[in-house]
Amino acid sequence: MIAVRTDDEPKRSTIKSFFANKNVFVTGGTGFLGAVLVESILSTSPDVGNIFLLVRDKYGANAHTRIQRLLAKPLFKAHSEEALKKIVPVIGELSEKNLGIRDDELQRLRDTVNIVYHSAATIKFHTYLKTAITVNLIGTYRTIEFAKSLKRLDSYVYLSTAFCNADQDKFIEEKVYTSVQDPYEMMKLVNDDELWQRNSAPEIQALVGGHPNTYTFTKQLAENLLLKEMAGYPAGIVRPSVVYGTYRDPILGWVGNANSGHLGLLVGYAKGIFRTISGNGESSIDIIPCDYVINAAITMGWYVGTRKTETIEVIHSTCGERNRFTLNQFCDALNENVQKNPCDSIVWMPYTKPREGVRYEVFVFLFHLLPAMFLAIPESLFQFGKSRKSTLEYMQLFHKGSTVFNYFLHKSLQYSVKNALRIMGELHPDDLDRYQYDAKNCDWSKLIENCFLGIRRYYFHESYETTMWHRVMFKIFQVLYYVGWVFILALIYFMVLPLAGTFQLTFAIASSVCLFLIWL
């Protein structure tokens, strides 16, 4: 039965008034995006009701412990103990019937919850297809069932991805594109034990079709499921691109554990370990601040909750059409801002530029994998890193991740934001500044600087302040960088000398090799 709403609130009501006395249910609330979403909901209205977080026991920590860890983060420092009591854990499992929630708890939620935010997903691009279907598709179906069972559903918002339509043409509109596979058939496929036992790569690829990975494939299926299941319900989809740290709210440069998407690349780059990125320098890299994504999600919840929408509303949270950012500009911003705000300690002078094809592969082998192989020897001998990945494994993961993003860089997808701007234009004047999500207003260099400061403060637990010591240290590494090239020149010279015989020929060969490596 479709939940009936009486639209008592005026169309220009504030977001604060919309959330007042409403109870919110959130999946993925302990993740990077989810945590900022929860904080933003809490900040939106002092009179907001409870915020229920679906949490499962994970990695040996029970649900209540995980919530305590979440609330201990600097993200929630400004909130009183009384306000934090509104965040209530709900023990469950995303892909199970009724979300695996206890019967008495489930009935309480059905009686009281008004707003649902579904942000939980497996975000690894190459997740095993069965796992991706279970979490991203069946998990979404379970949240739909839950939302439709609520006595008063005011709004349902799904956090998708701008890349879910990577199989389409270059210009992506704010609409749900029909998937090649039927979402209901794909959910049935999870029980096809014979298929998963065969695990045939051609069969799996035939299912995924034109999608570059299982993540974008299952996210598109989930959108199709929503389109069919949520017709007549107040529902919306927000599609962010590559999510970076916060630009402004609730705190500057929040990056979480910096393991999400491209943020892991920034961590390695800040230390001088990752020194290249795969892609064409003139390609657009579509990044967006985390708080812009959450502002879009909060606005979407308010919008579909205060209007009678004909169908599911879809908006992009992207930068391309409004504020293009090329890969060359991205690397320039990295190089400029890491020099302004270096970490307390670095492995080598951070510097990067985009490379393509064979040039990229050769560079990664010579300057990433080869040094990592040498480091792997003492790690193995002295048993370093038994409780973590080895340096070589990190390098291989970086290489894999960089080449995955390269697909999107080369395709240069463009995203319409007409609907996003239209909905933002409906905001009450009091909300326009706080819930800003138009990428045109974003200074990309400032965002990168904020991310580096956030990585220093929240990942490496260093100070925000950049001192004279930091600048001197960076200058020393700049000198060492050039000394390193002199050393390489000398090393090649003495290696070639016995073969070449003469000084002139040896020096010419060594210089040529060095110039090639510098160009590389």
Side-chain angles (χ1 to χ4, degrees):
M1 186 178 79
I2 295 177
V4 178
R5 255 189 347 221
T6 57
D7 293 324
D8 301 321
E9 296 162 303
K11 287 188 176 182
R12 300 289 281 185
S13 64
T14 64
I15 289 177
K16 177 181 176 180
S17 64
F18 171 70
F19 276 88
N21 302 313
K22 301 281 175 65
N23 292 306
V24 187
F25 183 85
V26 180
T27 72
T30 57
F32 173 51
L33 266 178
V36 181
L37 172 63
V38 170
E39 194 285 331
S40 186
I41 294 171
L42 202 60
S43 298
T44 290
S45 175
D47 299 322
V48 69
N50 287 324
I51 303 172
F52 298 101
L53 266 59
L54 183 70
V55 188
R56 63 187 175 97
D57 290 351
K58 185 179 180 183
Y59 307 136
N62 64 41
H64 292 278
T65 302
R66 293 183 67 200
I67 293 294
Q68 288 171 0
R69 288 177 183 172
L70 171 71
L71 301 183
K73 292 180 178 180
L75 202 61
F76 295 93
K77 190 176 180 180
H79 295 284
S80 67
E81 189 175 332
E82 193 64 30
L84 295 179
K85 286 179 181 177
K86 294 185 176 186
I87 300 174
V88 182
V90 175
I91 299 172
E93 180 63 46
L94 185 65
S95 59
E96 291 183 8
K97 187 176 180 180
N98 293 327
L99 297 170
I101 301 170
R102 207 175 60 236
D103 287 345
D104 58 334
E105 181 77 355
L106 182 65
Q107 190 56 53
R108 182 167 75 101
L109 293 172
R110 285 172 172 169
D111 291 341
T112 59
V113 169
N114 310 104
I115 301 166
V116 177
Y117 279 97
H118 176 36
S119 70
T122 174
I123 60 174
K124 293 179 181 177
F125 277 176
H126 290 291
T127 300
Y128 183 44
L129 181 58
K130 182 179 179 180
T131 304
I133 292 173
T134 301
V135 178
N136 294 346
L137 184 56
I138 295 177
T140 300
Y141 183 67
R142 296 306 184 197
T143 66
I144 291 169
E145 287 182 320
F146 171 75
K148 290 165 75 170
S149 74
L150 300 179
K151 287 189 175 179
R152 179 181 168 90
L153 174 66
D154 284 316
S155 58
Y156 174 103
V157 179
Y158 175 57
L159 284 167
S160 183
T161 172
F163 303 129
C164 69
N165 297 303
D167 61 331
Q168 302 296 321
D169 292 331
K170 287 189 175 182
F171 188 76
I172 309 298
E173 296 181 46
E174 291 165 301
K175 67 178 185 179
V176 176
Y177 287 81
T178 304
S179 55
V180 175
Q181 303 293 346
D182 180 79
Y184 299 99
E185 292 300 318
M186 289 297 101
M187 287 192 287
K188 291 178 185 176
L189 205 64
V190 169
N191 298 317
D192 187 348
D193 295 334
E194 188 180 336
L195 171 65
W196 306 118
Q197 284 171 4
R198 289 198 306 272
N199 194 26
S200 165
E203 275 186 287
I204 300 299
Q205 189 54 53
L207 290 171
V208 174
H211 283 271
N213 51 63
T214 58
Y215 172 68
T216 65
F217 172 65
T218 51
K219 292 295 265 187
Q220 187 188 68
L221 286 170
E223 287 195 1
N224 276 258
L225 190 66
L226 279 161
L227 186 65
K228 294 175 181 180
E229 290 285 336
M230 296 298 284
Y233 287 85
I237 296 171
V238 178
R239 294 180 183 152
S241 53
V242 181
V243 182
Y244 266 51
T246 54
Y247 191 68
R248 185 185 69 178
D249 298 309
I251 52 178
L252 179 147
W254 174 253
V255 293
N257 60 11
N259 287 331
S260 301
H262 247 220
L263 285 173
L265 181 140
L266 258 65
V267 170
Y269 170 75
K271 288 289 186 178
I273 298 172
F274 301 159
R275 304 181 55 77
T276 190
I277 186 168
S278 177
N280 184 305
E282 293 306 312
S283 296
S284 296
I285 179 168
D286 206 305
I287 65 175
I288 198 76
C290 177
D291 44 337
Y292 276 40
V293 178
I294 299 308
N295 288 348
I298 293 290
T299 301
M300 178 64 90
W302 161 82
Y303 182 81
V304 299
T306 55
R307 284 143 179 83
K308 290 181 178 179
T309 53
E310 295 293 326
T311 185
I312 287 183
E313 292 283 352
V314 182
I315 62 173
H316 285 134
S317 183
T318 56
C319 74
E321 188 181 73
R322 300 289 289 170
N323 193 355
R324 187 170 182 261
F325 196 36
T326 68
L327 197 54
N328 279 331
Q329 291 172 327
F330 172 71
C331 290
D332 288 344
L334 291 180
N335 296 331
E336 175 189 348
N337 286 293
V338 79
Q339 184 171 350
K340 284 168 58 179
N341 302 288
C343 293
D344 288 356
S345 63
I346 55 179
V347 176
W348 197 239
M349 188 190 79
Y351 180 81
T352 192
K353 63 181 179 181
R355 295 170 174 87
E356 288 188 280
V358 175
R359 184 182 183 187
Y360 171 80
E361 299 292 343
V362 173
F363 183 92
V364 167
F365 177 77
L366 291 177
F367 296 101
H368 283 173
L369 297 180
L370 204 59
M373 288 177 190
F374 283 108
L375 281 173
I377 296 171
E379 280 184 337
S380 176
L381 287 174
F382 297 102
Q383 298 184 337
F384 294 152
K386 271 202 164 184
S387 60
R388 62 173 178 82
K389 292 181 176 67
S390 68
T391 303
L392 182 57
E393 287 173 319
Y394 275 120
M395 287 299 179
Q396 290 169 332
L397 284 172
F398 155 75
H399 178 43
K400 183 179 179 180
S402 186
T403 50
V404 162
F405 276 105
N406 193 28
Y407 172 90
F408 303 104
L409 289 170
H410 276 289
K411 198 159 187 181
S412 291
L413 295 169
Q414 296 178 357
Y415 304 97
S416 170
V417 290
K418 287 182 180 178
N419 203 34
L421 296 178
R422 176 184 65 80
I423 288 176
M424 192 172 72
E426 294 284 327
L427 283 170
H428 191 282
D430 292 347
D431 291 329
L432 277 173
D433 179 61
R434 172 59 183 86
Y435 298 99
Q436 172 67 241
Y437 59 83
D438 183 1
K440 188 176 182 179
N441 300 310
C442 190
D443 180 336
W444 299 124
S445 183
K446 183 65 177 174
L447 172 63
I448 298 298
E449 181 180 18
N450 291 352
C451 285
F452 278 131
L453 289 171
I455 286 168
R456 275 175 41 174
R457 179 69 184 89
Y458 303 116
Y459 187 81
F460 292 120
H461 305 292
E462 300 172 359
S463 170
Y464 262 135
E465 186 182 0
T466 300
T467 64
M468 181 60 70
W469 181 87
H470 287 96
R471 297 187 181 93
V472 170
M473 182 267 296
F474 197 88
K475 288 292 183 184
I476 291 171
F477 271 89
Q478 283 181 316
V479 172
L480 289 175
Y481 174 78
Y482 293 109
V483 169
W485 282 114
V486 174
F487 174 78
I488 290 172
L489 176 65
L491 182 64
I492 296 171
Y493 176 86
F494 287 111
M495 288 174 64
V496 174
L497 184 60
L499 301 174
T502 64
F503 166 80
Q504 291 85 351
L505 181 58
T506 303
F507 188 76
I509 294 172
S511 299
S512 298
V513 173
C514 254
L515 288 172
F516 169 75
L517 293 175
I518 291 170
W519 168 83
L520 194 64

